[in-house]
PDB file of all heavy atoms in Angstrom:
ATOM      1  N   PRO Y 667     127.046 111.699  90.867  1.00 86.00           N
ATOM      2  CA  PRO Y 667     126.344 111.351  92.105  1.00 86.00           C
ATOM      3  C   PRO Y 667     125.307 110.273  91.877  1.00 86.00           C
ATOM      4  O   PRO Y 667     124.634 110.242  90.836  1.00 86.00           O
ATOM      5  CB  PRO Y 667     125.697 112.680  92.524  1.00 86.00           C
ATOM      6  CG  PRO Y 667     125.590 113.468  91.261  1.00 86.00           C
ATOM      7  CD  PRO Y 667     126.755 113.072  90.419  1.00 86.00           C
ATOM      8  N   ALA Y 668     125.177 109.377  92.845  1.00 91.00           N
ATOM      9  CA  ALA Y 668     124.152 108.330  92.804  1.00 91.00           C
ATOM     10  C   ALA Y 668     123.025 108.705  93.754  1.00 91.00           C
ATOM     11  O   ALA Y 668     123.214 109.492  94.690  1.00 91.00           O
ATOM     12  CB  ALA Y 668     124.748 106.981  93.190  1.00 91.00           C
ATOM     13  N   ASP Y 669     121.864 108.135  93.496  1.00 92.00           N
ATOM     14  CA  ASP Y 669     120.702 108.392  94.345  1.00 92.00           C
ATOM     15  C   ASP Y 669     120.792 107.485  95.563  1.00 92.00           C
ATOM     16  O   ASP Y 669     120.638 106.264  95.450  1.00 92.00           O
ATOM     17  CB  ASP Y 669     119.419 108.125  93.553  1.00 92.00           C
ATOM     18  CG  ASP Y 669     118.178 108.610  94.285  1.00 92.00           C
ATOM     19  OD1 ASP Y 669     118.163 108.529  95.528  1.00 92.00           O
ATOM     20  OD2 ASP Y 669     117.233 109.041  93.620  1.00 92.00           O
ATOM     21  N   ASP Y 670     121.044 108.071  96.732  1.00 93.00           N
ATOM     22  CA  ASP Y 670     121.191 107.275  97.953  1.00 93.00           C
ATOM     23  C   ASP Y 670     119.965 106.417  98.217  1.00 93.00           C
ATOM     24  O   ASP Y 670     120.078 105.279  98.692  1.00 93.00           O
ATOM     25  CB  ASP Y 670     121.438 108.181  99.155  1.00 93.00           C
ATOM     26  CG  ASP Y 670     122.860 108.728  99.180  1.00 93.00           C
ATOM     27  OD1 ASP Y 670     123.719 108.137  98.501  1.00 93.00           O
ATOM     28  OD2 ASP Y 670     123.111 109.728  99.862  1.00 93.00           O
ATOM     29  N   ARG Y 671     118.778 106.958  97.912  1.00 92.00           N
ATOM     30  CA  ARG Y 671     117.549 106.210  98.177  1.00 92.00           C
ATOM     31  C   ARG Y 671     117.481 104.955  97.314  1.00 92.00           C
ATOM     32  O   ARG Y 671     117.069 103.886  97.788  1.00 92.00           O
ATOM     33  CB  ARG Y 671     116.336 107.103  97.925  1.00 92.00           C
ATOM     34  CG  ARG Y 671     116.223 108.300  98.870  1.00 92.00           C
ATOM     35  CD  ARG Y 671     115.226 109.294  98.365  1.00 92.00           C
ATOM     36  NE  ARG Y 671     115.617 109.835  97.067  1.00 92.00           N
ATOM     37  CZ  ARG Y 671     114.906 110.695  96.355  1.00 92.00           C
ATOM     38  NH1 ARG Y 671     113.749 111.118  96.834  1.00 92.00           N
ATOM     39  NH2 ARG Y 671     115.337 111.145  95.191  1.00 92.00           N
ATOM     40  N   LYS Y 672     117.896 105.062  96.055  1.00 94.00           N
ATOM     41  CA  LYS Y 672     117.835 103.899  95.166  1.00 94.00           C
ATOM     42  C   LYS Y 672     118.893 102.865  95.538  1.00 94.00           C
ATOM     43  O   LYS Y 672     118.631 101.656  95.493  1.00 94.00           O
ATOM     44  CB  LYS Y 672     117.997 104.353  93.718  1.00 94.00           C
ATOM     45  CG  LYS Y 672     116.845 105.225  93.221  1.00 94.00           C
ATOM     46  CD  LYS Y 672     117.070 105.690  91.793  1.00 94.00           C
ATOM     47  CE  LYS Y 672     115.909 106.553  91.316  1.00 94.00           C
ATOM     48  NZ  LYS Y 672     116.113 107.047  89.932  1.00 94.00           N
ATOM     49  N   VAL Y 673     120.082 103.328  95.894  1.00 96.00           N
ATOM     50  CA  VAL Y 673     121.131 102.388  96.308  1.00 96.00           C
ATOM     51  C   VAL Y 673     120.733 101.700  97.609  1.00 96.00           C
ATOM     52  O   VAL Y 673     120.913 100.486  97.766  1.00 96.00           O
ATOM     53  CB  VAL Y 673     122.487 103.108  96.459  1.00 96.00           C
ATOM     54  CG1 VAL Y 673     123.555 102.133  96.945  1.00 96.00           C
ATOM     55  CG2 VAL Y 673     122.907 103.741  95.140  1.00 96.00           C
ATOM     56  N   ASP Y 674     120.167 102.459  98.543  1.00 96.00           N
ATOM     57  CA  ASP Y 674     119.728 101.863  99.808  1.00 96.00           C
ATOM     58  C   ASP Y 674     118.607 100.851  99.576  1.00 96.00           C
ATOM     59  O   ASP Y 674     118.508  99.851 100.302  1.00 96.00           O
ATOM     60  CB  ASP Y 674     119.256 102.949 100.771  1.00 96.00           C
ATOM     61  CG  ASP Y 674     120.417 103.727 101.376  1.00 96.00           C
ATOM     62  OD1 ASP Y 674     121.541 103.197 101.355  1.00 96.00           O
ATOM     63  OD2 ASP Y 674     120.203 104.853 101.854  1.00 96.00           O
ATOM     64  N   ALA Y 675     117.756 101.095  98.578  1.00 96.00           N
ATOM     65  CA  ALA Y 675     116.694 100.130  98.265  1.00 96.00           C
ATOM     66  C   ALA Y 675     117.297  98.815  97.782  1.00 96.00           C
ATOM     67  O   ALA Y 675     116.808  97.729  98.126  1.00 96.00           O
ATOM     68  CB  ALA Y 675     115.747 100.705  97.215  1.00 96.00           C
ATOM     69  N   LEU Y 676     118.374  98.884  96.985  1.00 97.00           N
ATOM     70  CA  LEU Y 676     119.068  97.662  96.553  1.00 97.00           C
ATOM     71  C   LEU Y 676     119.650  96.929  97.761  1.00 97.00           C
ATOM     72  O   LEU Y 676     119.526  95.698  97.880  1.00 97.00           O
ATOM     73  CB  LEU Y 676     120.185  98.009  95.566  1.00 97.00           C
ATOM     74  CG  LEU Y 676     119.785  98.427  94.155  1.00 97.00           C
ATOM     75  CD1 LEU Y 676     121.042  98.689  93.321  1.00 97.00           C
ATOM     76  CD2 LEU Y 676     118.945  97.350  93.486  1.00 97.00           C
ATOM     77  N   LEU Y 677     120.282  97.677  98.647  1.00 97.00           N
ATOM     78  CA  LEU Y 677     120.880  97.046  99.826  1.00 97.00           C
ATOM     79  C   LEU Y 677     119.811  96.478 100.753  1.00 97.00           C
ATOM     80  O   LEU Y 677     120.019  95.442 101.390  1.00 97.00           O
ATOM     81  CB  LEU Y 677     121.749  98.058 100.569  1.00 97.00           C
ATOM     82  CG  LEU Y 677     123.014  98.509  99.825  1.00 97.00           C
ATOM     83  CD1 LEU Y 677     123.716  99.615 100.583  1.00 97.00           C
ATOM     84  CD2 LEU Y 677     123.955  97.331  99.610  1.00 97.00           C
ATOM     85  N   ASP Y 678     118.663  97.151 100.830  1.00 97.00           N
ATOM     86  CA  ASP Y 678     117.550  96.615 101.624  1.00 97.00           C
ATOM     87  C   ASP Y 678     117.157  95.234 101.109  1.00 97.00           C
ATOM     88  O   ASP Y 678     116.951  94.297 101.893  1.00 97.00           O
ATOM     89  CB  ASP Y 678     116.339  97.551 101.556  1.00 97.00           C
ATOM     90  CG  ASP Y 678     116.532  98.816 102.373  1.00 97.00           C
ATOM     91  OD1 ASP Y 678     117.445  98.839 103.219  1.00 97.00           O
ATOM     92  OD2 ASP Y 678     115.771  99.779 102.157  1.00 97.00           O
ATOM     93  N   ALA Y 679     117.029  95.120  99.780  1.00 97.00           N
ATOM     94  CA  ALA Y 679     116.641  93.839  99.179  1.00 97.00           C
ATOM     95  C   ALA Y 679     117.710  92.779  99.421  1.00 97.00           C
ATOM     96  O   ALA Y 679     117.399  91.620  99.722  1.00 97.00           O
ATOM     97  CB  ALA Y 679     116.398  94.017  97.680  1.00 97.00           C
ATOM     98  N   LEU Y 680     118.980  93.183  99.320  1.00 97.00           N
ATOM     99  CA  LEU Y 680     120.076  92.222  99.475  1.00 97.00           C
ATOM    100  C   LEU Y 680     120.184  91.732 100.913  1.00 97.00           C
ATOM    101  O   LEU Y 680     120.319  90.525 101.164  1.00 97.00           O
ATOM    102  CB  LEU Y 680     121.389  92.886  99.044  1.00 97.00           C
ATOM    103  CG  LEU Y 680     122.599  91.968  98.916  1.00 97.00           C
ATOM    104  CD1 LEU Y 680     122.404  90.977  97.779  1.00 97.00           C
ATOM    105  CD2 LEU Y 680     123.869  92.792  98.683  1.00 97.00           C
ATOM    106  N   TYR Y 681     120.102  92.641 101.869  1.00 97.00           N
ATOM    107  CA  TYR Y 681     120.306  92.258 103.268  1.00 97.00           C
ATOM    108  C   TYR Y 681     119.063  91.626 103.890  1.00 97.00           C
ATOM    109  O   TYR Y 681     119.168  90.988 104.941  1.00 97.00           O
ATOM    110  CB  TYR Y 681     120.758  93.465 104.083  1.00 97.00           C
ATOM    111  CG  TYR Y 681     122.246  93.699 103.977  1.00 97.00           C
ATOM    112  CD1 TYR Y 681     122.787  94.344 102.871  1.00 97.00           C
ATOM    113  CD2 TYR Y 681     123.115  93.246 104.958  1.00 97.00           C
ATOM    114  CE1 TYR Y 681     124.157  94.539 102.748  1.00 97.00           C
ATOM    115  CE2 TYR Y 681     124.481  93.435 104.858  1.00 97.00           C
ATOM    116  CZ  TYR Y 681     125.003  94.082 103.746  1.00 97.00           C
ATOM    117  OH  TYR Y 681     126.362  94.260 103.635  1.00 97.00           O
ATOM    118  N   ALA Y 682     117.923  91.788 103.255  1.00 96.00           N
ATOM    119  CA  ALA Y 682     116.710  91.134 103.765  1.00 96.00           C
ATOM    120  C   ALA Y 682     116.556  89.727 103.197  1.00 96.00           C
ATOM    121  O   ALA Y 682     115.747  88.940 103.697  1.00 96.00           O
ATOM    122  CB  ALA Y 682     115.478  91.968 103.428  1.00 96.00           C
ATOM    123  N   ALA Y 683     117.315  89.398 102.156  1.00 97.00           N
ATOM    124  CA  ALA Y 683     117.161  88.107 101.478  1.00 97.00           C
ATOM    125  C   ALA Y 683     117.653  86.959 102.366  1.00 97.00           C
ATOM    126  O   ALA Y 683     118.707  87.054 103.002  1.00 97.00           O
ATOM    127  CB  ALA Y 683     117.928  88.115 100.162  1.00 97.00           C
TER     128      ALA Y 683
END
Side-chain angles (χ1 to χ4, degrees):
D669 190 325
D670 285 341
R671 295 166 298 177
K672 294 178 180 179
V673 178
D674 285 340
L676 287 182
L677 293 174
D678 286 344
L680 190 66
Y681 277 80

